[in-house]
Amino acid sequence: MNYVWQWDFVWEILPRLIKHGVVITVELTTISVCIGTVIGLVVALLRISKYKPLQWLGAAYTDFFRGTPLLVQIMIIHYALPVVFNYTPVVWVSAIGALSINSGAYVAEIFRAGIQSIDKGQMEAGRSLGMTYGQAMRYIVLPQAFKISIPPLGNEFIALLKDSSLVMIIGLQELMGTSKLIVGRQPRVLETYLTAAVLYLIMTMSISRLVRYAERRLKAGDHS
Amino acid sequence: MIIVKNLSKSFGSLQVLKNITNHIKEQEVVVVIGPSGSGKSTFLRCLNFLESPTAGEIIIDGVSLTDKKTNINRVREEVGMVFQRFNLFPHMTALENVSLAPIKVRKMPKEEAMEVSRQLLKKVGLSDKADVFPAQLSGGQMQRVAIARALAMKPKVMLFDEPTSALDPEMVGEVLTVMKDLAKEGMTMVVVTHEMGFAREVGDRVLFMDEGSIVEEGAPDQIFSRPQNERTKAFLSKVL
């Protein structure tokens, strides 16, 4: 235990970790969560469809992407698919693609649970007024299901933010990738990775604060 | 108005409706009574296809619901339904609940839909509750909003599925009053209820159902004072 902690080094790398690392990580995660939410909604609707083949398709999607490691999915998307389809992969695209597709599977399950928790009478009331299934879904069921889904969606956002560190394996310089790069040049391992850990912690705690705030706001105006 | 021919409905191996045939005329108020599990709610739900019949035919205003080519959504626009548990949309105000379908289904301009909806809320005595969410309403008020919501589509028929069964006793009256007014205006109504007073006073015809069949039917006076069937007698002796 004769390691001497150097605060100077922390202050030196901090701007870089924030400017290159945190910013990229936040961008990457936010974009992926947004795309993942859209994918999740579509897959959730497939899973609750009354047509069996669509149900199977949705189930296959969630089973595959929740049942295999994200790291493997990243490798497949960035290295394996380009070989099969013969194109040059772009790191950013592969990263966002893998994270979106993966989070889509988790979001699908969140939405499915949300939709199924809405009383059957809501859909029936909509249909009895002459609405199509799609209209009743859109105007009546989904707004309520979405509200219920906000806390678990927040958790998914946090999980994805942490998992986004995995994309450094394909060479993306997000927070973890940038840290690795710094360590490669100046081996102040402890300072670098602990700083990165604290930055991740600040980000995840900010998100959970944000979600709790959103939840409280919605509760304040709770009409159900 | 509504023609039902040999209607049957099974859930799996359980047959809940057996060969029901009936003809409900325009402006008629038909009250369906019977013990729980007799199939009355299922019968009512078949009339707007919330349950699809296993066999038989239903024709409303000349349109066969059982015809595969019929767009059921168009039929439902003309058939209002009021549920036992109200099923108001909790994320919308009373006014939004009432105006949603006219705007989205009838494609009515928003201003006009709002105006029509305000008038309907006034009609059910809830002008002052237009901007209130369902959670802040009493059961009786919720059910009146639900009636206004169904009326907003200007339906030709109204179906009521035990509209007062989920209400505290002191709120039953306000809902029945609205229904009586509706009947007076000439609305064609099919009402599943346990309110025998309402059946007697407002009903033009009473259907007594038991074990999936219409066992006896007739004018309220006849059914309540001189029931012919043993099962009708047994049921009425318990509820009257």
Side-chain angles (χ1 to χ4, degrees):
Chain A
M1 287 291 282
N2 48 11
Y3 193 95
V4 182
W5 176 271
Q6 291 187 1
W7 279 110
D8 285 352
F9 187 75
V10 173
W11 304 133
E12 189 195 317
I13 61 168
L14 197 57
R16 201 166 144 210
L17 282 180
I18 291 172
K19 217 168 119 196
H20 298 284
V22 172
V23 171
I24 303 290
T25 291
V26 168
E27 283 175 2
L28 186 66
T29 311
T30 309
I31 295 172
S32 301
V33 158
C34 291
I35 301 175
T37 303
V38 176
I39 296 175
L41 182 59
V42 173
V43 176
L45 291 174
L46 290 180
R47 291 213 63 173
I48 58 164
S49 156
K50 58 181 172 178
Y51 301 107
K52 284 267 186 270
L54 295 181
Q55 286 178 24
W56 292 329
L57 195 67
Y61 185 94
T62 49
D63 285 350
F64 182 81
F65 289 103
R66 296 195 325 153
T68 55
L70 176 56
L71 188 56
V72 175
Q73 293 163 19
I74 293 169
M75 298 302 241
I76 290 176
I77 287 175
H78 194 66
Y79 295 118
L81 293 186
V83 174
V84 181
F85 296 105
N86 197 22
Y87 66 92
T88 318
V90 178
V91 176
W92 255 100
V93 177
S94 300
I96 289 175
L99 293 177
S100 306
I101 288 169
N102 181 269
S103 85
Y106 288 92
V107 173
E109 289 299 282
I110 292 170
F111 280 150
R112 184 173 69 112
I115 292 167
Q116 285 175 340
S117 74
I118 303 301
D119 188 274
K120 205 163 69 55
Q122 292 288 307
M123 175 58 86
E124 285 185 351
R127 297 307 302 272
S128 77
L129 289 163
M131 289 187 193
T132 61
Y133 176 85
Q135 284 176 320
M137 241 331 158
R138 178 167 160 208
Y139 300 117
I140 298 163
V141 178
L142 288 182
Q144 297 179 57
F146 189 73
K147 193 168 138 189
I148 292 174
S149 303
I150 285 178
L153 280 176
N155 291 338
E156 170 53 23
F157 197 168
I158 290 170
L160 194 72
L161 186 123
K162 292 184 291 175
D163 287 348
S164 73
S165 59
L166 289 170
V167 300
M168 74 152 211
I169 202 79
I170 56 173
L172 190 73
Q173 307 296 321
E174 37 64 74
L175 181 51
M176 189 57 199
T178 307
S179 309
K180 186 94 193 306
L181 209 69
I182 290 170
V183 170
R185 294 193 191 139
Q186 295 152 286
R188 305 291 321 169
V189 183
L190 192 63
E191 284 87 344
T192 311
Y193 287 140
L194 261 182
T195 307
V198 169
L199 289 173
Y200 273 115
L201 189 64
I202 291 171
M203 286 190 278
T204 52
M205 286 179 73
S206 306
I207 298 172
S208 72
R209 278 282 164 81
L210 218 67
V211 171
R212 246 179 294 163
Y213 173 74
E215 230 180 310
R216 257 206 316 273
R217 279 290 304 268
L218 282 169
K219 274 236 173 67
D222 200 355
H223 317 304
S224 49
Chain B
M1 192 72 183
I2 304 178
I3 299 164
V4 179
K5 283 184 203 159
N6 302 320
L7 173 67
S8 291
K9 171 72 184 175
S10 299
F11 293 109
S13 58
L14 181 72
Q15 192 175 10
V16 288
L17 294 179
K18 296 166 190 162
N19 255 321
I20 291 185
T21 296
N22 214 275
H23 182 190
I24 294 159
K25 289 184 280 297
E26 201 166 339
Q27 303 209 336
E28 194 178 21
V29 176
V30 173
V31 179
V32 186
I33 61 170
S36 53
S38 59
K40 14 182 233 308
S41 279
T42 307
F43 170 60
L44 196 73
R45 289 163 59 85
C46 280
L47 296 183
N48 70 348
F49 247 61
L50 282 183
E51 303 291 353
S52 50
T54 313
E57 196 178 9
I58 298 167
I59 299 165
I60 295 184
D61 207 22
V63 181
S64 170
L65 276 64
T66 32
D67 186 341
K68 287 255 185 298
K69 288 193 288 284
T70 300
N71 182 344
I72 193 64
N73 296 321
R74 297 290 86 76
V75 178
R76 285 179 180 145
E77 289 176 24
E78 314 298 332
V79 182
M81 182 148 190
V82 175
F83 299 86
Q84 182 178 355
R85 304 215 50 89
F86 329 131
N87 297 352
L88 286 184
F89 310 135
H91 57 304
M92 296 179 189
T93 63
L95 188 66
E96 288 166 344
N97 262 277
V98 179
S99 60
L100 180 71
I103 294 171
K104 301 299 179 190
V105 180
R106 290 259 194 245
K107 311 288 181 204
M108 195 186 277
K110 202 171 170 201
E111 297 297 311
E112 190 188 337
M114 291 293 179
E115 189 46 45
V116 170
S117 301
R118 275 184 205 285
Q119 275 164 16
L120 283 169
L121 285 176
K122 189 173 167 202
K123 181 185 170 127
V124 298
L126 293 170
S127 290
D128 54 330
K129 301 290 183 191
D131 300 317
V132 167
F133 286 92
Q136 288 135 276
L137 296 172
S138 71
Q141 291 170 333
M142 282 197 264
Q143 196 59 297
R144 284 186 282 153
V145 173
I147 294 172
R149 178 176 69 178
L151 290 176
M153 290 298 285
K154 297 201 170 46
K156 293 176 183 150
V157 184
M158 285 281 280
L159 309 175
F160 292 85
D161 189 4
E162 302 197 24
T164 57
S165 297
L167 298 176
D168 291 336
E170 74 269 26
M171 292 170 185
V172 170
E174 61 192 67
V175 171
L176 292 182
T177 303
V178 169
M179 291 169 63
K180 279 176 205 165
D181 289 346
L182 213 52
K184 262 183 234 152
E185 289 168 20
M187 176 64 80
T188 309
M189 293 163 63
V190 185
V191 185
V192 171
T193 189
H194 295 294
E195 292 295 327
M196 298 305 154
F198 176 86
R200 194 181 277 237
E201 189 186 338
V202 185
D204 293 314
R205 191 153 55 97
V206 174
L207 308 183
F208 171 71
M209 282 184 70
D210 193 18
E211 291 174 1
S213 305
I214 297 175
V215 175
E216 186 167 357
E217 66 174 292
D221 190 48
Q222 179 203 323
I223 296 288
F224 290 114
S225 309
R226 290 168 266 110
Q228 305 297 309
N229 190 288
E230 285 311 314
R231 283 191 279 173
T232 318
K233 284 179 196 166
F235 173 74
L236 289 174
S237 71
K238 278 181 224 151
V239 297
L240 288 181

